[in-house]
Amino acid sequence: MIWESFYWKSDLLKHAGVLKKRIRQKRWPDASLARCEQTIMLGFYSIRKLTESAKLTDHVSKMNVSIRSYRATGQTVHLLNKHRLDELYDLDNAKRRSVSLPYLSSQIVHSYVFSLLFDEDNQLAGILVTSDRDRSKELLEVPIQKIIEVFEKVGKDEANVAVTFRFDDKKGDWIYKFAKD
């Protein structure tokens, strides 16, 4: 449960700034790859926690994100082959679609495949990701600009939330309910 969202949101804005700098990066040693993945992963984990704690307006928490998806080829995706994306997914036939922010956050937090995507100039272009649950269905391509945009929207969002509590004698615990302005 997040009581004070300011710190979580300000970190998302910092993550967006870090990713903006990464776009221009040309050399990618292992440490840079790991830090970039960590920034994206922690950002979407934060978004998931903020959503579950009702710390975002409905406009932001229910927003859709434009992505591309690639159907699985039918081969079993497992630990020893999950790096062979061109064999596991039909990368020649992208389908444009929109996914909800909670769905995208879940895909990234529970990622089975997570790969940074680079353009022809070796600059960061986005990520390829799919969750453990959806790995046999599809692979998602999320542009880095969309990730930055999401981090900034969530980081700047201001939800006014009121919480009411009551004690449930039968359960022997406090029940709380969030109400947004």
Side-chain angles (χ1 to χ4, degrees):
M1 176 66 60
I2 295 174
W3 292 106
E4 178 49 67
S5 64
F6 168 80
Y7 304 103
W8 292 75
K9 291 177 181 179
S10 64
D11 278 355
L12 277 169
L13 295 174
K14 289 176 191 172
H15 292 328
V18 167
L19 292 175
K20 284 179 183 178
K21 290 178 184 173
R22 294 265 187 214
I23 290 173
R24 295 182 302 278
Q25 185 172 327
K26 299 243 183 196
R27 263 185 6 91
W28 287 90
D30 286 346
S32 290
L33 294 169
R35 291 289 182 219
C36 190
E37 179 179 358
Q38 185 181 44
T39 298
I40 294 168
M41 186 71 67
L42 289 173
F44 278 99
Y45 177 77
S46 296
I47 290 169
R48 180 175 163 178
K49 291 300 290 181
L50 288 163
T51 302
E52 291 172 354
S53 298
K55 297 296 184 177
L56 301 175
T57 61
D58 286 345
H59 173 72
V60 169
S61 67
K62 294 180 180 178
M63 78 174 172
N64 287 318
V65 180
S66 297
I67 55 116
R68 288 187 198 180
S69 68
Y70 304 94
R71 293 187 61 119
T73 61
Q75 293 186 42
T76 303
V77 182
H78 53 72
L79 285 173
L80 298 179
N81 73 355
K82 68 180 187 173
H83 64 284
R84 297 184 184 147
L85 300 179
D86 57 331
E87 296 172 18
L88 300 169
Y89 302 97
D90 185 3
L91 299 179
D92 292 327
N93 292 303
K95 178 181 164 188
R96 291 194 180 277
R97 69 185 189 110
S98 237
V99 295
S100 71
L101 183 56
Y103 176 79
L104 181 59
S105 297
S106 181
Q107 289 293 302
I108 293 170
V109 168
H110 294 284
S111 59
Y112 191 83
V113 172
F114 186 106
S115 180
L116 297 176
L117 182 63
F118 297 92
D119 65 16
E120 58 278 348
D121 295 325
N122 202 35
Q123 292 184 317
L124 183 62
I127 62 170
L128 295 169
V129 66
T130 188
S131 69
D132 49 353
R133 183 184 299 177
D134 289 346
R135 64 185 166 167
S136 63
K137 297 176 191 171
E138 67 180 343
L139 180 70
L140 306 179
E141 178 184 330
V142 188
I144 195 65
Q145 292 294 355
K146 285 289 178 189
I147 294 170
I148 292 167
E149 180 184 315
V150 166
F151 285 7
E152 288 178 338
K153 279 187 180 178
V154 173
K156 294 175 183 175
D157 190 47
E158 293 188 31
N160 295 319
V161 178
V163 183
T164 57
F165 292 90
R166 71 172 176 78
F167 192 79
D168 187 328
D169 290 323
K170 290 181 184 176
K171 292 183 179 180
D173 201 358
W174 286 94
I175 306 295
Y176 52 90
K177 183 177 180 182
F178 295 101
K180 293 184 185 181
D181 289 348

